[in-house]
Amino acid sequence: MSKPISELNKKLEAEKGIHTDFLHDMTYGDYLHLTPLLGSQHCLSDHHDEMLFIIIHQVSELWMKLTIHELTAAIEAIADGKMQAAFKMLARVSKIQTQIIQAWDVLSTLTPAEYMEFRDKLGKASGFQSYQYRLIEFALGYKTSHILKIYEKDPALYAKLEKAYHAPSIYDVSIKALARAGFAINPALLTRDFSKTYGGDPTVEAAWRKVYQHVDQYWDLYQLAEKLIDIEDWLQQWRFRHMKTVERIIGFKIGTGGSSGVNYLKQVLDHRFFPELWDLRTTL
């Protein structure tokens, strides 16, 4: 019996430096503001599963906040020609996306009967109204003006979204990077109205095709293209898991925010953010 006690004493001795007096110092909880964070789950019903519903959506919003942080910095880096920095940020975005996708697996443990117990408490609130998701769509180039009306209630938020709506997307700055590299890009694309969703251009298609045909010569642009494909691929997988989770829980009911629910989610699956990068897979 003496040996285990001796080993335990050694371990305790090795950890004598652990801080326990925090009367005047910042703790882990202080740094992360855990008290307000963990106190932000306010259920409107007495149903056990509403806590799951709230936390899943809050966690997703936190991941989206980091996604926006990385995408915004990546757009600036590409615009400045700092490709390696952008690649690191975009790789991180892809990893974040895997976490958000897995969240649907947890939410799918909510059954239709359970959700119906508190769904009416949501009123007209819906994930469709997530402004951070709109900021991600704007950063990727999908611009929809009618969506902005949802946020008129908050002037500061509306101004933030409107600014992002008119700003160049990550694909816009990528097209400019092609032009900087000497490709004959349609000049109108470089000064176009960035509030319009990009629909494709033959000069961009020709430029990306050459990049893929001469990988060694255009290695940075080739890497950029593949990072963009990664992000769109993961986003579409997120959209698909979203659609199937909604169908699994509420079927084809109208969404709480008034959207057509599953039918709307199916429609957005057809949208492509970076059309030429997908088309060249067929034409290359």
Side-chain angles (χ1 to χ4, degrees):
M1 295 293 291
S2 61
K3 185 175 181 181
I5 292 175
S6 176
E7 291 296 325
L8 177 60
N9 287 336
K10 286 181 181 179
K11 290 178 180 179
L12 292 174
E13 185 69 23
E15 303 301 338
K16 286 182 68 174
I18 292 177
H19 297 291
T20 57
D21 183 359
F22 285 94
L23 289 176
H24 304 290
D25 291 307
M26 179 177 66
T27 66
Y28 170 82
D30 294 334
Y31 175 68
L32 295 177
H33 296 275
L34 288 183
T35 298
L37 180 65
L38 298 180
S40 296
Q41 295 73 48
H42 304 290
C43 294
L44 299 180
S45 75
D46 295 326
H47 197 275
H48 173 81
D49 293 312
E50 189 180 356
M51 181 65 74
L52 160 70
F53 190 82
I54 291 172
I55 288 178
I56 285 293
H57 287 85
Q58 288 183 338
V59 168
S60 294
E61 289 291 337
L62 284 172
W63 280 128
M64 282 192 276
K65 182 173 183 176
L66 184 56
T67 296
I68 294 163
H69 177 71
E70 299 295 341
L71 279 177
T72 301
I75 289 171
E76 292 176 359
I78 295 167
D80 292 338
K82 299 175 181 177
M83 293 300 200
Q84 294 304 315
F87 297 158
K88 175 64 181 294
M89 297 161 189
L90 295 178
R92 182 174 292 162
V93 170
S94 293
K95 292 298 183 181
I96 294 168
Q97 289 174 298
T98 66
Q99 297 298 310
I100 298 180
I101 290 169
Q102 289 176 1
W104 294 120
D105 294 336
V106 183
L107 186 58
S108 66
T109 64
L110 181 68
T111 69
E114 291 164 344
Y115 183 44
M116 287 303 104
E117 291 292 325
F118 62 87
R119 187 180 189 236
D120 63 326
K121 298 294 185 181
L122 274 63
K124 295 179 180 178
S126 167
F128 182 83
Q129 298 146 16
S130 168
Y131 73 84
Q132 291 200 123
Y133 180 70
R134 298 305 168 192
L135 287 172
I136 291 172
E137 284 190 328
F138 291 174
L140 296 179
Y142 185 48
K143 308 291 182 74
T144 47
S145 60
H146 69 281
I147 292 297
L148 291 174
K149 185 172 178 60
I150 294 173
Y151 312 101
E152 289 179 346
K153 177 180 179 180
D154 185 335
L157 176 57
Y158 184 86
K160 182 177 182 177
L161 282 154
E162 191 172 39
K163 180 180 178 181
Y165 177 72
H166 290 284
S169 72
I170 196 165
Y171 201 50
D172 289 315
V173 295
S174 296
I175 290 172
K176 288 185 177 182
L178 290 171
R180 282 201 310 270
F183 289 101
I185 299 298
N186 178 0
L189 295 179
L190 308 180
T191 57
R192 74 183 192 88
D193 180 356
F194 298 121
S195 70
K196 305 297 183 183
T197 299
Y198 176 77
D201 187 275
T203 62
V204 175
E205 182 180 3
W208 283 127
R209 184 181 297 109
K210 190 171 182 180
V211 167
Y212 274 77
Q213 290 171 336
H214 302 279
V215 171
D216 292 341
Q217 185 179 351
Y218 301 108
W219 180 249
D220 277 357
L221 290 170
Y222 173 69
Q223 280 189 289
L224 174 60
E226 287 298 296
K227 295 295 185 189
L228 294 178
I229 284 291
D230 284 343
I231 288 173
E232 179 164 352
D233 190 349
W234 283 115
L235 183 68
Q236 293 294 51
Q237 291 187 54
W238 181 90
R239 282 173 160 179
F240 179 78
R241 288 295 294 123
H242 184 187
M243 182 268 292
K244 293 307 293 183
T245 303
V246 170
E247 184 176 0
R248 175 173 176 156
I249 296 175
I250 67 167
F252 285 81
K253 291 184 178 72
I254 297 297
T256 50
S259 75
S260 59
V262 170
N263 286 325
Y264 169 81
L265 297 173
K266 284 184 175 180
Q267 290 172 17
V268 297
L269 281 172
D270 292 330
H271 174 75
R272 297 190 300 173
F273 293 91
F274 319 126
E276 292 90 357
L277 294 179
W278 291 104
D279 289 341
L280 69 79
R281 266 109 177 120
T282 302
T283 61
L284 194 64

